[in-house]
Amino acid sequence: MDSHSSQASQASQASQSPHPPHSFQVDLRGLVDLLSHHLYSSPKVYLRELLQNAVDAVTARRAAEPDAPARIRLYAADGGLRVEDTGVGLTEPDVHSLLATIGRSSKRAEGLEEARSDFLGQFGIGLLACFVVAERIRVVSRSVRTPGAPPVEWTARDDGSYTVRTLPDAERPEPGTTVYLTARAGAAEWLAPERVRDLARDFGSLLPYDVRVGDEPVTELPAPWDRAHPSPAGRRVALARHCRELFGFTPLDSIDLDVPVAGVRGVAYVLPSAVSPAQRATHRVHLKGMLLTERAEQLLPDWAFFVRCVLDTDSLRPTASRESLYEDETLAAVRDALGTRIRSWLTGLAAGDPERLAAFLAVHHLGVKSLARHDAGMLRTMLPWLPFETTDGQLPLEEFARRHPVVHFTRTVEEYRQVAPIAAAQGVGVVNGGYTYDSELVEALPRVRPGTVVAELDADTVTAHLDAVDPAEELALSGFLATARDRLDPLGCDVVLRAFHPLSVPALHLDDRAARHEQARAVAEEQADDLWAGILGSLRGSAPRARLVLNHLNPLVRRIGSLGDPELIGTATEALYGQALLMARRPLRPADSALLNRAFIGLLEWATHGEGDGR
């Protein structure tokens, strides 16, 4: 059955149905409550809807009459607001069809559909939003498309009732529309002159027509990023002033955002202080000059959290509330294009203005690292500039790789703190990869710097770089080492003897992630009931244990090694173990805390032994 037959069959069935169809009934007050509490973020959007309707009306008239006047005037006084425009106007049928039918937009009117892309509003909510602040709306309009048609008046109340009547020509001699709002109880502040002026400036500063509140201009064209300046320095100062007025901070720099294909023009301001990558950046977006939102979050790639944008577009789609952007292919393409523009700015700084780049990276290196880990070209460009914590100090990876044949790195800050002093003394170069993105970037180094050798630093590598003790001397200390190993064995830690610098470090605690996981499993097994202890016991691994590396060059270790009392050797070993843990800034387990307390008390008892006997 074809579509025509199907439709005819449905129509026949409908005509034979004993139950006539009914129309939906709309509770206007309930709908207004829905708008004010769920669709719109604030009652202030009523003014944007009024401006939007006026701008669309002027745009519609100018589509047919390019030289038609383009004026919009707002007058606030005595708890009311009057908005006048020189737009296309409405006839009486238009009023019934457009103003009194919820969900129908004037942009669907006869002859205007083809010009729809020039309009701001597309959802037919229009004047309904004004009931958020008004108890009565009166519209007086005269159509330019129907010569000789009299002015028409539409008056609506928030209870859902409305009246329509025609007026004498003298009531509205020129084409256009005037909207009158009467404030509802508790909403008069939204129609106060100062509030109307501020909202009109906020929403309409970039509109292409002559918009005024009383005699005071609202529009400020051209846009700040399009204005001519005597010099680049003068332009930077002017944009910095604009940023301070708009966002409340003085930017480190400004980045022009110009994507002609997407109809986007604007500027990105670089924040003067660091922000968390997890913090969602919000931007100001104007749609054909009208402010759409101050909280656009999805406009830029996630890595560009160090800028705040303000821009105007004629291609992005708004959501139904017209307070955010619709996620579609166009927005994705604009996001990629804006990200490319910001990358180009960074590349330009690296090539021609290293001082400004250094100032930027001092604050926002985290954002650039986030970008570089996914972009080999950006990593290659930024490699000579991005700072990393290393055993040679704060250095870019490029310089560090030139100094060391093997670039060792740790995956955690704790691991770096364990080995950094010792590795530096042995001439082993280590990068602290424990900070956000750093280990990923170090591992990516061979892709952009062929021939570079990168290796994760573990306990075995550190131990291998420490000097072995003469076999005869180690044999002479075998009793001491056996006692020390017995004391630390319950803690899952081995004891080894090495000679290393600096001499001031008596002992070094080394482990890796596998060893720490095994320690955590053992602790959990001790604390679990029989069932879980059995399960955790079955997970026991063969991972290497932690190590306490005693420094044979340290005088204190030599004196402890010469002790003959096994109990005192054990207590001293526990003290060295606890001190090594504290030096590595490792979190202490309950067993470690108990050991430290026991060793401290034991040493005090040994130091004061015999005082009461007069010895």
Side-chain angles (χ1 to χ4, degrees), residues 413-419 508-510 578-587:
V413 175
E414 289 77 12
E415 290 172 352
Y416 178 79
R417 287 170 177 167
Q418 286 182 69
V419 303
L508 175 65
H509 181 272
L510 294 176
Q579 188 264 353
L581 283 180
L582 294 175
M583 289 296 293
R585 304 183 190 180
R586 293 291 307 279

PDB file of all heavy atoms in Angstrom, residues 413-419 508-510 578-587:
ATOM      1  N   VAL A 413      55.514  10.693  42.520  1.00  0.00           N
ATOM      2  CA  VAL A 413      56.351  11.661  43.224  1.00  0.00           C
ATOM      3  C   VAL A 413      57.095  10.970  44.362  1.00  0.00           C
ATOM      4  O   VAL A 413      58.266  11.277  44.639  1.00  0.00           O
ATOM      5  CB  VAL A 413      55.482  12.814  43.748  1.00  0.00           C
ATOM      6  CG1 VAL A 413      56.311  13.782  44.596  1.00  0.00           C
ATOM      7  CG2 VAL A 413      54.829  13.564  42.589  1.00  0.00           C
ATOM      8  N   GLU A 414      56.446  10.014  45.040  1.00  0.00           N
ATOM      9  CA  GLU A 414      57.086   9.325  46.163  1.00  0.00           C
ATOM     10  C   GLU A 414      58.315   8.549  45.693  1.00  0.00           C
ATOM     11  O   GLU A 414      59.375   8.573  46.348  1.00  0.00           O
ATOM     12  CB  GLU A 414      56.091   8.366  46.832  1.00  0.00           C
ATOM     13  CG  GLU A 414      54.985   9.047  47.606  1.00  0.00           C
ATOM     14  CD  GLU A 414      53.903   9.607  46.685  1.00  0.00           C
ATOM     15  OE1 GLU A 414      53.894   9.270  45.478  1.00  0.00           O
ATOM     16  OE2 GLU A 414      53.072  10.401  47.172  1.00  0.00           O
ATOM     17  N   GLU A 415      58.199   7.862  44.554  1.00  0.00           N
ATOM     18  CA  GLU A 415      59.353   7.129  44.040  1.00  0.00           C
ATOM     19  C   GLU A 415      60.495   8.087  43.702  1.00  0.00           C
ATOM     20  O   GLU A 415      61.672   7.783  43.969  1.00  0.00           O
ATOM     21  CB  GLU A 415      58.946   6.340  42.786  1.00  0.00           C
ATOM     22  CG  GLU A 415      58.024   5.171  43.066  1.00  0.00           C
ATOM     23  CD  GLU A 415      57.505   4.550  41.785  1.00  0.00           C
ATOM     24  OE1 GLU A 415      57.739   5.131  40.708  1.00  0.00           O
ATOM     25  OE2 GLU A 415      56.875   3.483  41.859  1.00  0.00           O
ATOM     26  N   TYR A 416      60.165   9.221  43.133  1.00  0.00           N
ATOM     27  CA  TYR A 416      61.205  10.199  42.782  1.00  0.00           C
ATOM     28  C   TYR A 416      61.915  10.697  44.038  1.00  0.00           C
ATOM     29  O   TYR A 416      63.146  10.814  44.068  1.00  0.00           O
ATOM     30  CB  TYR A 416      60.578  11.365  42.022  1.00  0.00           C
ATOM     31  CG  TYR A 416      61.564  12.448  41.661  1.00  0.00           C
ATOM     32  CD1 TYR A 416      62.418  12.308  40.573  1.00  0.00           C
ATOM     33  CD2 TYR A 416      61.649  13.613  42.426  1.00  0.00           C
ATOM     34  CE1 TYR A 416      63.335  13.299  40.250  1.00  0.00           C
ATOM     35  CE2 TYR A 416      62.554  14.608  42.111  1.00  0.00           C
ATOM     36  CZ  TYR A 416      63.394  14.444  41.022  1.00  0.00           C
ATOM     37  OH  TYR A 416      64.303  15.426  40.721  1.00  0.00           O
ATOM     38  N   ARG A 417      61.143  11.000  45.061  1.00  0.00           N
ATOM     39  CA  ARG A 417      61.755  11.513  46.290  1.00  0.00           C
ATOM     40  C   ARG A 417      62.649  10.480  46.955  1.00  0.00           C
ATOM     41  O   ARG A 417      63.611  10.823  47.641  1.00  0.00           O
ATOM     42  CB  ARG A 417      60.657  11.968  47.248  1.00  0.00           C
ATOM     43  CG  ARG A 417      59.982  13.266  46.807  1.00  0.00           C
ATOM     44  CD  ARG A 417      58.755  13.557  47.625  1.00  0.00           C
ATOM     45  NE  ARG A 417      58.161  14.849  47.245  1.00  0.00           N
ATOM     46  CZ  ARG A 417      56.954  15.257  47.613  1.00  0.00           C
ATOM     47  NH1 ARG A 417      56.198  14.476  48.378  1.00  0.00           N
ATOM     48  NH2 ARG A 417      56.488  16.426  47.236  1.00  0.00           N
ATOM     49  N   GLN A 418      62.337   9.198  46.777  1.00  0.00           N
ATOM     50  CA  GLN A 418      63.187   8.157  47.337  1.00  0.00           C
ATOM     51  C   GLN A 418      64.577   8.166  46.711  1.00  0.00           C
ATOM     52  O   GLN A 418      65.592   8.031  47.401  1.00  0.00           O
ATOM     53  CB  GLN A 418      62.555   6.774  47.089  1.00  0.00           C
ATOM     54  CG  GLN A 418      61.357   6.437  47.934  1.00  0.00           C
ATOM     55  CD  GLN A 418      60.876   5.035  47.624  1.00  0.00           C
ATOM     56  OE1 GLN A 418      61.558   4.062  47.951  1.00  0.00           O
ATOM     57  NE2 GLN A 418      59.737   4.918  46.982  1.00  0.00           N
ATOM     58  N   VAL A 419      64.600   8.302  45.388  1.00  0.00           N
ATOM     59  CA  VAL A 419      65.851   8.039  44.683  1.00  0.00           C
ATOM     60  C   VAL A 419      66.568   9.291  44.198  1.00  0.00           C
ATOM     61  O   VAL A 419      67.747   9.205  43.837  1.00  0.00           O
ATOM     62  CB  VAL A 419      65.594   7.119  43.468  1.00  0.00           C
ATOM     63  CG1 VAL A 419      64.948   5.819  43.913  1.00  0.00           C
ATOM     64  CG2 VAL A 419      64.710   7.813  42.432  1.00  0.00           C
ATOM     65  N   LEU A 508      68.851   3.956  52.611  1.00  0.00           N
ATOM     66  CA  LEU A 508      67.920   4.317  51.537  1.00  0.00           C
ATOM     67  C   LEU A 508      66.857   3.234  51.446  1.00  0.00           C
ATOM     68  O   LEU A 508      67.177   2.039  51.351  1.00  0.00           O
ATOM     69  CB  LEU A 508      68.688   4.421  50.212  1.00  0.00           C
ATOM     70  CG  LEU A 508      67.874   4.685  48.943  1.00  0.00           C
ATOM     71  CD1 LEU A 508      67.226   6.065  49.002  1.00  0.00           C
ATOM     72  CD2 LEU A 508      68.768   4.565  47.716  1.00  0.00           C
ATOM     73  N   HIS A 509      65.585   3.643  51.490  1.00  0.00           N
ATOM     74  CA  HIS A 509      64.484   2.689  51.352  1.00  0.00           C
ATOM     75  C   HIS A 509      64.044   2.665  49.892  1.00  0.00           C
ATOM     76  O   HIS A 509      63.683   3.691  49.321  1.00  0.00           O
ATOM     77  CB  HIS A 509      63.306   3.088  52.244  1.00  0.00           C
ATOM     78  CG  HIS A 509      62.152   2.134  52.175  1.00  0.00           C
ATOM     79  ND1 HIS A 509      61.143   2.256  51.249  1.00  0.00           N
ATOM     80  CD2 HIS A 509      61.862   1.019  52.900  1.00  0.00           C
ATOM     81  CE1 HIS A 509      60.270   1.276  51.409  1.00  0.00           C
ATOM     82  NE2 HIS A 509      60.683   0.519  52.411  1.00  0.00           N
ATOM     83  N   LEU A 510      64.095   1.495  49.277  1.00  0.00           N
ATOM     84  CA  LEU A 510      63.718   1.352  47.874  1.00  0.00           C
ATOM     85  C   LEU A 510      62.618   0.312  47.739  1.00  0.00           C
ATOM     86  O   LEU A 510      62.694  -0.768  48.355  1.00  0.00           O
ATOM     87  CB  LEU A 510      64.916   0.914  47.024  1.00  0.00           C
ATOM     88  CG  LEU A 510      66.078   1.903  46.883  1.00  0.00           C
ATOM     89  CD1 LEU A 510      67.202   1.263  46.084  1.00  0.00           C
ATOM     90  CD2 LEU A 510      65.613   3.171  46.199  1.00  0.00           C
ATOM     91  N   GLY A 578      63.022   3.302  59.817  1.00  0.00           N
ATOM     92  CA  GLY A 578      62.016   4.356  60.010  1.00  0.00           C
ATOM     93  C   GLY A 578      62.495   5.689  59.464  1.00  0.00           C
ATOM     94  O   GLY A 578      61.724   6.435  58.837  1.00  0.00           O
ATOM     95  N   GLN A 579      63.798   5.996  59.699  1.00  0.00           N
ATOM     96  CA  GLN A 579      64.329   7.270  59.191  1.00  0.00           C
ATOM     97  C   GLN A 579      64.339   7.291  57.673  1.00  0.00           C
ATOM     98  O   GLN A 579      64.042   8.316  57.045  1.00  0.00           O
ATOM     99  CB  GLN A 579      65.748   7.464  59.743  1.00  0.00           C
ATOM    100  CG  GLN A 579      66.358   8.825  59.455  1.00  0.00           C
ATOM    101  CD  GLN A 579      67.262   8.820  58.207  1.00  0.00           C
ATOM    102  OE1 GLN A 579      67.530   7.759  57.648  1.00  0.00           O
ATOM    103  NE2 GLN A 579      67.697  10.005  57.806  1.00  0.00           N
ATOM    104  N   ALA A 580      64.617   6.147  57.038  1.00  0.00           N
ATOM    105  CA  ALA A 580      64.622   6.081  55.575  1.00  0.00           C
ATOM    106  C   ALA A 580      63.212   6.275  55.020  1.00  0.00           C
ATOM    107  O   ALA A 580      63.022   6.922  53.987  1.00  0.00           O
ATOM    108  CB  ALA A 580      65.197   4.744  55.118  1.00  0.00           C
ATOM    109  N   LEU A 581      62.212   5.712  55.715  1.00  0.00           N
ATOM    110  CA  LEU A 581      60.828   5.918  55.293  1.00  0.00           C
ATOM    111  C   LEU A 581      60.447   7.395  55.362  1.00  0.00           C
ATOM    112  O   LEU A 581      59.808   7.943  54.447  1.00  0.00           O
ATOM    113  CB  LEU A 581      59.869   5.105  56.158  1.00  0.00           C
ATOM    114  CG  LEU A 581      59.751   3.602  55.888  1.00  0.00           C
ATOM    115  CD1 LEU A 581      58.761   2.985  56.854  1.00  0.00           C
ATOM    116  CD2 LEU A 581      59.307   3.343  54.457  1.00  0.00           C
ATOM    117  N   LEU A 582      60.830   8.041  56.445  1.00  0.00           N
ATOM    118  CA  LEU A 582      60.497   9.464  56.609  1.00  0.00           C
ATOM    119  C   LEU A 582      61.209  10.307  55.559  1.00  0.00           C
ATOM    120  O   LEU A 582      60.631  11.268  55.033  1.00  0.00           O
ATOM    121  CB  LEU A 582      60.877   9.921  58.020  1.00  0.00           C
ATOM    122  CG  LEU A 582      60.081   9.285  59.163  1.00  0.00           C
ATOM    123  CD1 LEU A 582      60.641   9.747  60.514  1.00  0.00           C
ATOM    124  CD2 LEU A 582      58.612   9.643  59.058  1.00  0.00           C
ATOM    125  N   MET A 583      62.452   9.977  55.253  1.00  0.00           N
ATOM    126  CA  MET A 583      63.181  10.734  54.239  1.00  0.00           C
ATOM    127  C   MET A 583      62.535  10.593  52.857  1.00  0.00           C
ATOM    128  O   MET A 583      62.548  11.518  52.050  1.00  0.00           O
ATOM    129  CB  MET A 583      64.640  10.254  54.176  1.00  0.00           C
ATOM    130  CG  MET A 583      65.473  10.664  55.386  1.00  0.00           C
ATOM    131  SD  MET A 583      65.657  12.461  55.512  1.00  0.00           S
ATOM    132  CE  MET A 583      66.648  12.791  54.059  1.00  0.00           C
ATOM    133  N   ALA A 584      61.942   9.416  52.598  1.00  0.00           N
ATOM    134  CA  ALA A 584      61.272   9.190  51.318  1.00  0.00           C
ATOM    135  C   ALA A 584      59.862   9.783  51.302  1.00  0.00           C
ATOM    136  O   ALA A 584      59.188   9.744  50.271  1.00  0.00           O
ATOM    137  CB  ALA A 584      61.203   7.699  51.022  1.00  0.00           C
ATOM    138  N   ARG A 585      59.413  10.310  52.453  1.00  0.00           N
ATOM    139  CA  ARG A 585      58.071  10.906  52.579  1.00  0.00           C
ATOM    140  C   ARG A 585      56.972   9.910  52.206  1.00  0.00           C
ATOM    141  O   ARG A 585      55.981  10.258  51.572  1.00  0.00           O
ATOM    142  CB  ARG A 585      57.953  12.160  51.714  1.00  0.00           C
ATOM    143  CG  ARG A 585      59.004  13.205  52.006  1.00  0.00           C
ATOM    144  CD  ARG A 585      58.782  14.445  51.170  1.00  0.00           C
ATOM    145  NE  ARG A 585      59.905  15.366  51.275  1.00  0.00           N
ATOM    146  CZ  ARG A 585      59.989  16.540  50.652  1.00  0.00           C
ATOM    147  NH1 ARG A 585      58.992  16.942  49.893  1.00  0.00           N
ATOM    148  NH2 ARG A 585      61.046  17.307  50.791  1.00  0.00           N
ATOM    149  N   ARG A 586      57.196   8.688  52.610  1.00  0.00           N
ATOM    150  CA  ARG A 586      56.207   7.654  52.346  1.00  0.00           C
ATOM    151  C   ARG A 586      55.185   7.613  53.474  1.00  0.00           C
ATOM    152  O   ARG A 586      55.516   7.816  54.640  1.00  0.00           O
ATOM    153  CB  ARG A 586      56.903   6.288  52.254  1.00  0.00           C
ATOM    154  CG  ARG A 586      57.829   6.141  51.060  1.00  0.00           C
ATOM    155  CD  ARG A 586      57.036   6.107  49.777  1.00  0.00           C
ATOM    156  NE  ARG A 586      55.996   5.111  49.831  1.00  0.00           N
ATOM    157  CZ  ARG A 586      56.193   3.808  49.622  1.00  0.00           C
ATOM    158  NH1 ARG A 586      57.416   3.385  49.333  1.00  0.00           N
ATOM    159  NH2 ARG A 586      55.210   2.954  49.683  1.00  0.00           N
ATOM    160  N   PRO A 587      53.925   7.353  53.152  1.00  0.00           N
ATOM    161  CA  PRO A 587      52.930   7.186  54.217  1.00  0.00           C
ATOM    162  C   PRO A 587      53.267   5.959  55.055  1.00  0.00           C
ATOM    163  O   PRO A 587      53.674   4.911  54.529  1.00  0.00           O
ATOM    164  CB  PRO A 587      51.617   7.005  53.446  1.00  0.00           C
ATOM    165  CG  PRO A 587      52.013   6.574  52.074  1.00  0.00           C
ATOM    166  CD  PRO A 587      53.340   7.206  51.810  1.00  0.00           C
TER     167      PRO A 587
END
